[in-house]
Amino acid sequence: MKSFRKHSATVNAGSMADIAFLLLIFFLVTTTISADKGLLRQLPSDCPDIEKCIKDIDERNLLRIALNHKQEIYIEDKVVKLENVKDIVQAFVDNNSMSNCDYCKGEKLSISSNHPREAVISLSHDALTKYQLFISVQDEITKAYYDLRARYIERKFNKTPSEITDEEFEAVKKAYPFVVSEVMVKRD
């Protein structure tokens, strides 16, 4: 008579760790991990001379832009379209009402900024303003300054913005400083 031994059913798991490791490597290599997108903005540095940082701003040198909960853009209490923000900001910054700016091309209106170095853009928004509108308005303000600076670079240095040196760029930033004040949102 034959004896039948019961063998327990086992699975050889010696190579399972190798297979799991290879699958893990495969998915890490083939998967794209999306990066968070953000805003390319440099935060203001600490103010070395506090008296210069808290000085009063003449009302004519302050352009108020407000975004409300209805997704409307107000500039100086008038509703404007997003497409017009860039032109309004450029006209305000480059106004030269005091006629002491030799590189300005403004209309010299008595109700707009005295000089590009004194112009301040105040951007405020409601807590219910959509993020996309806020970013779009910021982009339009940035485009306005970029165009003003590009025009200055072309006239002063006879170059394009990509061709200037760091020293020349510092001179451009002094001629058209990017001064935007973002008002803190109040929530009820």
Side-chain angles (χ1 to χ4, degrees):
M1 279 210 172
K2 288 186 179 179
S3 66
F4 291 102
R5 289 189 185 166
K6 285 192 168 183
H7 293 286
S8 61
T10 60
V11 176
N12 185 4
S15 64
M16 290 296 267
D18 294 335
I19 293 170
F21 180 71
L22 287 173
L23 284 172
L24 179 65
I25 294 297
F26 173 76
F27 285 114
L28 285 174
V29 170
T30 60
T31 304
T32 58
I33 301 171
S34 62
D36 291 336
K37 293 182 181 177
L39 297 175
L40 182 59
R41 293 277 189 242
Q42 184 175 357
L43 296 176
S45 59
D46 288 337
C47 184
D49 185 8
I50 196 69
E51 294 301 320
K52 289 182 181 176
C53 294
I54 59 171
K55 67 178 183 176
D56 290 333
I57 299 170
D58 188 3
E59 192 64 36
R60 71 186 300 165
N61 292 322
L62 185 65
L63 180 67
R64 298 177 195 277
I65 302 175
L67 312 173
N68 67 10
H69 65 282
K70 295 178 186 175
Q71 312 316 310
E72 296 171 323
I73 303 169
Y74 284 86
I75 296 182
E76 299 297 338
D77 299 323
K78 294 177 187 166
V79 178
V80 297
K81 293 183 179 183
L82 180 63
E83 303 85 41
N84 299 335
V85 171
K86 176 182 149 189
D87 295 333
I88 294 170
V89 170
Q90 279 183 339
F92 175 79
V93 172
D94 208 32
N95 182 52
N96 190 25
S97 68
M98 303 284 278
S99 299
N100 59 355
C101 176
D102 58 348
Y103 54 87
C104 296
K105 297 280 185 185
E107 296 180 24
K108 301 178 182 177
L109 300 174
S110 62
I111 57 171
S112 285
S113 73
N114 294 334
H115 195 281
R117 292 185 194 129
E118 297 177 22
V120 177
I121 311 297
S122 174
L123 178 60
S124 64
H125 60 92
D126 189 89
L128 298 176
T129 301
K130 291 187 178 175
Y131 185 71
Q132 181 63 40
L133 178 65
F134 182 75
I135 298 303
S136 297
V137 171
Q138 280 190 335
D139 286 345
E140 292 298 312
I141 295 169
T142 303
K143 286 177 195 175
Y145 273 95
Y146 180 82
D147 288 352
L148 288 170
R149 287 176 172 183
R151 190 180 69 209
Y152 179 80
I153 290 167
E154 185 178 328
R155 273 199 319 260
K156 176 105 175 166
F157 304 111
N158 200 20
K159 297 180 180 179
T160 64
S162 61
E163 297 173 336
I164 62 171
T165 64
D166 290 341
E167 295 82 24
E168 291 169 338
F169 184 63
E170 288 302 316
V172 172
K173 287 191 332 188
K174 285 181 183 176
Y176 286 102
F178 186 78
V179 183
V180 177
S181 169
E182 294 180 6
V183 180
M184 186 170 42
V185 178
K186 293 183 181 179
R187 297 186 177 152
D188 295 329

